Amino acid sequence: VPLLFSLPGRVAPGRRVAGPVSLVDLYPTLREFLRVPAAYAGLGRSLAPALRGEPVPAAACYAETDYPPVFGCPHRLVEDRG
């Protein structure tokens, strides 16, 4: 799912994160950029370092669909590059 951030002075224009990320990373990323204290630990990790051009370690990524009319059968993907 493409996701765009516009944070002048905090994210360079055109910055791309090439590695796989997950939607669970969205909450910690927004929380860090907005400087909001964590309401709970959550499962994701902040992608703010990656958006600043800093390296981030690889993390497991999981996706699934049960939408057979398009794909023909259920699909599952688990990727762990760590």
Side-chain angles (χ1 to χ4, degrees):
V1 176
L3 178 63
L4 303 173
F5 280 90
S6 178
L7 298 165
R10 298 176 77 187
V11 175
R15 170 77 61 208
R16 296 184 67 178
V17 177
V21 298
S22 181
L23 287 176
V24 298
D25 299 331
L26 186 58
Y27 171 74
T29 302
L30 291 174
R31 192 186 77 235
E32 181 172 340
F33 277 127
L34 298 173
R35 297 182 179 109
V36 175
Y40 68 97
L43 299 174
R45 63 196 171 131
S46 175
L47 299 173
L51 292 169
R52 290 190 296 261
E54 301 167 16
V56 292
C61 191
Y62 174 80
E64 71 176 298
T65 182
D66 285 323
Y67 197 60
V70 172
F71 299 111
C73 63
H75 287 69
R76 307 284 186 273
L77 168 71
V78 176
E79 184 173 291
D80 186 354
R81 294 184 182 185

